[in-house]
Amino acid sequence: MGLVQAVVGAVGGVLGDQWKDFYTVPQGLPSTAALFAAVPQGTNAGRGSNTSGSTNIITNGSKIVVPEGYGLLLMQDGAITAFVAEPGGYEWRSDDINSKSIFAGDGIVSTFITQSWERFKFGGQPGSQQAAFFVSLKELPDNRFGTQSEIYWDDGFLNTQVGAVTRGSYTLKIVDPILFVKNFVPASYLQPGKVFDFTDLDNAAATQLFNEVVGSLAPAFSLYTNDPSKGNRITRLQQDSLGFAQSLSAAVEQGYQWSSDRGLAIVKTAIVSIEYDANTRELLKTVQRADALSGARGNSNLQASVAQGIQSAGENGGAAGLMGVGMATGMMGVGNLQQPAAPAAPAAEDPVAKLKKAKEMLDLGLITQSDYDALKAKALGL
């Protein structure tokens, strides 16, 4: 009983020619569609357009085509009776004891699916009617997040609490379709014609995910900026979509168990904007200045800044201004910078000492009286 694998791998026109009628993924689905009912394919040379029928009930002998990027779920009375993650063609045989009911493949979801199958597999022989659903195994884009007011977290690099308003988007992947359907998808979506879409504003389950992501943003920012192995800075968030996705996924898993309870995982993120609060902006300016004033280039920049400050103080504040600059440079440690040595100004001579020396020279006959009178007049400023 169950599904029999007919063709493995990509399914093209050859199988379409062999199977005139089969169930497959409906056409025209949005890229964000996650779960939907299988639909019968028309008989236009085996490749016709979808019929208008919406029934997804298969019976003994039904043919089902599973395209790349999708998984097939068969259900009866709310119980999962079969799952397929390998692309290819399958036939449902309720009377074949050699058929299998799980084809997990070798992809990322295979380990999760095998574990969940043992937990949730249908007990006993399934009935003759099975409902067929497809679940997307691709990355589902355009899942938005955003905050209306600041969120705050302790930032290891800035060594204080910082805050910001942010918005962006992330891609989502269903890593365990069995857990996803059993534990998360509302029963109202498990019927023909319904599409479970994470971006649907009327989808209450998707709205819950949005609220949980917003509630995980602050822990995610903290995880990212406090990772000692990366030395991440807050300003690198918008440049590291994979790194922040890992932090956001870890925060969501810690707070809401997306992967272990719902079979969901965040793969990539795109932060559209971060608007820091006033205090954080001032801190970032200080860090920017410190970065600019580090190393050899910083030493040159700081010397130029100090020289400009001394010049301005001398022009505007005289000796008092120069004294203030001197105190500031001492506090900043500017005295340790290598500055060119300035020649010492010669000390002014005492006029009394000059006259005494000139008198001695006169008494010794080294100079004349007229020479002495001239030196006396110069020393006294006459």
Side-chain angles (χ1 to χ4, degrees):
M1 60 181 178
L3 288 168
V4 176
Q5 196 171 48
V7 178
V8 182
V11 181
V14 175
L15 185 57
D17 289 333
Q18 295 174 351
W19 288 356
K20 301 300 182 182
D21 295 286
F22 55 86
Y23 288 83
T24 190
V25 174
Q27 295 179 353
L29 286 171
S31 60
T32 52
L35 179 74
F36 38 84
V39 296
Q41 189 83 356
T43 58
N44 181 12
R47 307 181 189 88
S49 61
N50 290 331
T51 67
S52 58
S54 61
T55 178
N56 62 329
I57 302 301
I58 61 173
T59 55
N60 189 30
S62 292
K63 314 295 193 300
I64 306 173
V65 173
V66 181
E68 289 277 1
Y70 294 95
L72 172 68
L73 279 167
L74 300 186
M75 300 186 69
Q76 180 180 3
D77 300 328
I80 297 174
T81 58
F83 176 78
V84 173
E86 299 178 28
Y90 297 85
E91 183 176 350
W92 172 258
R93 296 180 186 174
S94 61
D95 55 352
D96 190 337
I97 61 174
N98 295 317
S99 64
K100 295 196 298 183
S101 292
I102 180 169
F103 296 86
D106 298 323
I108 187 173
V109 299
S110 59
T111 303
F112 295 104
I113 293 168
T114 303
Q115 294 173 354
S116 295
W117 176 254
E118 293 301 319
R119 292 167 56 189
F120 297 120
K121 62 185 178 181
F122 186 82
Q125 182 175 344
S128 59
Q129 285 191 335
Q130 304 291 316
F133 295 89
F134 284 101
V135 59
S136 177
L137 303 180
K138 305 176 182 180
E139 283 187 44
L140 301 171
D142 206 30
N143 300 281
R144 308 295 179 89
F145 64 81
T147 60
Q148 295 181 345
S149 58
E150 289 87 356
I151 57 173
Y152 292 91
W153 67 95
D154 292 329
D155 189 281
F157 181 78
L158 296 178
N159 198 30
T160 188
Q161 188 180 75
V162 297
V165 176
T166 184
R167 62 187 180 91
S169 63
Y170 61 91
T171 62
L172 193 62
K173 191 174 183 65
I174 302 171
V175 295
D176 191 334
I178 295 176
L179 273 180
F180 173 65
V181 173
K182 292 288 292 186
N183 292 349
F184 189 69
V185 176
S188 59
Y189 287 94
L190 299 176
Q191 54 183 311
K194 298 288 288 184
V195 176
F196 186 97
D197 191 329
F198 289 108
T199 64
D200 186 355
L201 297 178
D202 296 326
N203 186 338
T207 301
Q208 177 64 27
L209 294 182
F210 170 85
N211 293 334
E212 291 176 1
V213 168
V214 171
S216 301
L217 285 175
F221 284 141
S222 182
L223 285 172
Y224 187 89
T225 58
N226 288 279
D227 188 341
S229 65
K230 298 179 181 178
N232 288 322
R233 294 193 183 189
I234 186 175
T235 51
R236 294 178 185 168
L237 283 168
Q238 291 172 277
Q239 306 168 10
D240 189 5
S241 61
L242 289 176
F244 181 66
Q246 294 171 355
S247 298
L248 182 57
S249 183
V252 167
E253 181 64 19
Q254 183 177 1
Y256 303 100
Q257 293 77 53
W258 275 24
S259 177
S260 56
D261 285 356
R262 299 169 177 173
L264 298 173
I266 293 174
V267 182
K268 296 183 182 71
T269 58
I271 298 179
V272 177
S273 67
I274 299 180
E275 299 175 9
Y276 302 109
D277 63 8
N279 291 336
T280 304
R281 288 196 298 270
E282 287 300 318
L283 285 171
L284 291 174
K285 287 181 181 178
T286 303
V287 171
Q288 188 178 35
R289 293 191 192 100
D291 288 344
L293 296 175
S294 62
R297 178 185 296 177
N299 188 62
S300 300
N301 290 340
L302 188 55
Q303 288 186 44
S305 299
V306 171
Q308 180 63 39
I310 293 174
Q311 180 179 350
S312 300
E315 293 173 352
N316 301 324
L322 289 172
M323 184 179 297
V325 171
M327 293 176 61
T329 54
M331 293 173 63
M332 294 166 58
V334 177
N336 294 326
L337 296 176
Q338 295 180 355
Q339 301 285 353
E349 276 192 78
D350 184 9
V352 175
K354 289 178 66 176
L355 286 175
K356 183 178 179 181
K357 185 175 182 181
K359 184 65 170 65
E360 291 176 353
M361 293 173 68
L362 176 62
D363 292 340
L364 293 172
L366 298 176
I367 60 174
T368 64
Q369 182 64 43
S370 60
D371 292 333
Y372 173 77
D373 292 340
L375 289 173
K376 179 179 178 181
K378 184 178 180 180
L380 297 177
L382 300 176

